[in-house]
Amino acid sequence: MAWYDEAVFYHIYPLGLCGAPKENQYGEPVHRLNSLAPWIDHIKELGCNAIYIGPLFESVGHGYETTDYKKLDSRLGDNADLTNFVANCHKKGLRVILDGVFNHTGRDFFAFQDIKKNRENSAYRDWYCQVNFGGNNEYNDGFSYENWGGYNLLAKLNQHNPAVRDYICDVIRFWVKEFDIDGIRLDAADVLDFEYMKALRHVANEVKPDFWLMGEVIHGDYTRWVNEGTLHSVTNYHLHKALYSGHNDHNYFEIAHTVKRLYEMGGNRPDGLKLYNFVDNHDVERIYTKLTNKAHFAPVHVLLYTLPGVPSIYYGSEFGIEGKKEQYSDDSLRPALSLDDYKGAQENNACTKLIARLGEARQRIPALSYGDYKELLLMNRQYAFSRTMDGQTAIITVNNDDSDYVMTVPAGEGTEFTGVLSGQKVTVSNGNIAVNVPANSGEIWIPFMDSADRSEDLSPQKETPQEINNVEHTSTDETDGSTPDTSQLNEYDASYEDGKTAGLQEAILAIMEKNGPVTEQMRRDVQNQTNHDSLINWIKSFH
C-alpha cells in the first residue's frame, strides 16, 4: 500500500488560478504562487490529501511550451516560492505532484535556440525529431522539425536520443532534490516512447520511496502504460466520458459497462489498475456545464469518489462553477479565483458541502480505496454496487431519476446499515437492505458497527446530496418542481410501532405513487419486504 492508493487529489492550473499574464515577458519574478497559501487549508478541509499542480516551469504562454525545466515560471515567482509551497503542503499532510512536459519544449528552450544559432553544427541538432535544414516554417527559421499537435510552438523532443533521456532524468532528480515533490504527471503520455517511459520509471524508483508516475492517456488499453515497467497510473478518460454522458442520457448501463471493462482490464483485482478518475480538468468543460440536469452533480460525484480508482477535483468545481470550452481558447476553463469570494462555502454551498463530505468518507472508509468491486443492481436510472475489503463492505446507491426510488440490494450478514451522507439507518432483512434513494442523489451505506466506530468522524450532516436538487434543478423532464406531498404520513406517525405489515406496505406504495409512476418491480420490492422495522424505516426515509 502506497500513499497514492489512498489519495484524493485537488488539481490546480496555477497560471490560471493565480491570474498570471497570458504571455511571459521573462522579467523579474512576480510571486503569485504565494497567493495559493490559503488554498492549502481549503484543500485539506475538502478531504483531499494530494495536489496535482502544473505546469509550473518557465514557458512562453500557457505553460506547456517549456523554456527552462529548472526555473519556476517568473510569472509565478522563483524557485524558493515553489520549495516553500511544497513544504507547506507537506506540513498539512498533502502530497504534491507536478506536470512533467517531457514530450516537447518551447522554441525558447536552450537546445532549440542553439540549433537556430549553429544549424548543422549544433550539438543539439539530434535533440528534436526530423530536423530538416532544407525546409522552413512560419517563423522563417530556415529549417523544419516535427511538432506536437500541429503547433510549431511545441517542438517534439527526440526521445530515442540518450542525451535527451539523460537530461530529462536529471530534471526529475533536480525536482526531487530542490522541491521535494512526490510524483509527476506526464503530459501527453500516450505519445511518449515506451523505452523513454521505462527510463523515467527507473528514476522514479530511485529518487524517493513511492514516487508516483501518472500519465495523460486519452484512449486505448490502459495496461499498455500502467505496469511495473512504466507508469503507476493514467488519466481515466473512459470513465470521465461515461460519468457525464451516462447521466445526461439517463443511462447507468454505460457507466457500469465502462467500470466492468476497466476492472477486468486490471484483472478483477482491487490492486489492478489504479486509474486517475476525474470529471473535469484544464482541458475539458466543467462538469457543472456539461450536465444537462445540474442536480446530477450529486450522483456524479458520489460515483467519482466510490468507484475503483483515485478521485480528483479540479479547482473551483467544488463550488459548482461553470466553464465552457471555446474555439481557440481554454481561458474559461482556467479562471483566476479568489477564496474570499467563496467564504462559508462549506456551510452555504451544497456542492462544496457534498465534496467535503465525500472526501471525508473516502479517507475514513478503507474499502473505497482498496475494496473489490461488485455490481448489485443496474437499471437505466438506478445503480448499486459494493466495495468490500477484509470482510467490511460499503454499498453505494445512486439514482439519476427525478423521483425517489427504493432499492433492495444484498447486504450480507450485518444487522443494520447507516447512510454516511444522510445518517439514515436501515435494517438487514433476509440478507438484503431496502433503501430509499432520493431523486438525483446517492448514498454510501456502511455496516452500523463501522459507522459507530467512526461516529465522531462521520457524523451525518443535516443536508444531504438531494439539497443540490433543491438549489438548482434544470431537468428537461416534465415536472412542476414541487415538493412531494407527504401529509398522508401524519396518520402513520402515532402508529409506527403497531402498524401491520400490509398497512405499512400500502403506505409506502401510496407515497411512492405520489412521487411518480410505480413499476411492477417497485411493487415487488415493497411486497417482498416484510420486516416490521425495515418498513418503518422505509416510511421514515420519505420525510
Side-chain angles (χ1 to χ4, degrees), residues 14 37 66 85 138 143 151 180 187 201 239 255 277-278 292 343 371 387 395 507 511:
T66 310
F85 175 80
E138 68 270 33
F143 62 91
Y151 300 101
D180 194 27
D187 183 63
R201 176 61 178 268
L239 184 62
I255 296 175
N277 295 343
F278 63 97
T292 304
K343 286 181 178 178
R387 302 291 308 278
I395 295 173
I511 300 167

Side-chain angles (χ1 to χ4, degrees), residues 177-426:
K177 181 179 179 181
E178 184 83 0
F179 309 116
D180 194 27
I181 63 169
D182 303 290
I184 293 172
R185 175 261 197 190
L186 296 177
D187 183 63
D190 45 7
V191 295
L192 294 180
D193 176 72
F194 281 92
E195 292 302 316
Y196 185 55
M197 281 188 286
K198 288 178 182 178
L200 302 184
R201 176 61 178 268
H202 179 79
V203 176
N205 294 341
E206 161 201 320
V207 292
K208 203 175 197 181
D210 295 335
F211 191 84
W212 196 50
L213 280 186
M214 184 265 288
E216 180 193 25
V217 174
I218 311 299
H219 302 296
D221 181 351
Y222 290 148
T223 58
R224 294 183 61 209
W225 292 272
V226 182
N227 53 64
E228 289 301 315
T230 49
L231 308 181
H232 297 94
S233 183
V234 294
T235 51
N236 194 353
Y237 269 90
H238 290 303
L239 184 62
H240 158 256
K241 190 270 179 184
L243 282 174
Y244 73 82
S245 66
H247 282 84
N248 285 346
D249 298 338
H250 289 291
N251 183 13
Y252 275 144
F253 284 92
E254 178 185 3
I255 296 175
H257 174 73
T258 300
V259 173
K260 184 171 184 278
R261 180 160 50 91
L262 292 171
Y263 197 57
E264 290 174 348
M265 202 181 287
N268 289 321
R269 305 187 328 273
D271 61 344
L273 286 176
K274 287 292 183 76
L275 301 175
Y276 181 86
N277 295 343
F278 63 97
V279 292
D280 48 17
N281 62 28
H282 64 301
D283 288 326
V284 300
E285 291 183 345
R286 296 276 178 173
I287 185 63
Y288 207 69
T289 298
K290 285 198 288 266
L291 291 174
T292 304
N293 183 348
K294 307 304 182 188
H296 286 160
F297 185 95
V300 162
H301 283 86
V302 169
L303 291 176
L304 173 67
Y305 275 78
T306 58
L307 286 169
V310 178
S312 175
I313 293 293
Y314 182 46
Y315 82 94
S317 284
E318 71 271 24
F319 306 126
I321 69 172
E322 302 266 2
K324 188 173 182 61
K325 199 172 181 68
E326 300 167 352
Q327 190 174 18
Y328 309 122
S329 174
D330 289 327
D331 289 350
S332 65
L333 310 179
R334 308 167 179 181
L337 298 179
S338 171
L339 268 184
D340 290 338
D341 294 333
Y342 299 94
K343 286 181 178 178
Q346 288 200 41
E347 291 75 36
N348 305 316
N349 185 311
C351 296
T352 313
K353 284 187 285 188
L354 175 64
I355 296 303
R357 191 68 177 154
L358 289 170
E360 182 184 16
R362 179 78 186 203
Q363 292 195 23
R364 300 297 185 181
I365 304 173
L368 298 181
S369 296
Y370 298 106
D372 63 6
Y373 165 86
K374 182 180 180 181
E375 185 182 297
L376 302 179
L377 179 148
L378 179 60
M379 295 182 288
N380 282 324
R381 299 182 182 227
Q382 289 80 34
Y383 174 32
F385 58 91
S386 63
R387 302 291 308 278
T388 302
M389 172 192 177
D390 296 334
Q392 298 298 309
T393 296
I395 295 173
I396 294 84
T397 54
V398 287
N399 177 16
N400 68 45
D401 195 67
D402 289 333
S403 298
D404 292 9
Y405 188 86
V406 178
M407 297 185 188
T408 299
V409 293
E413 299 178 355
T415 58
E416 193 173 50
F417 276 69
T418 300
V420 170
L421 303 176
S422 66
Q424 179 187 352
K425 292 182 174 58
V426 294

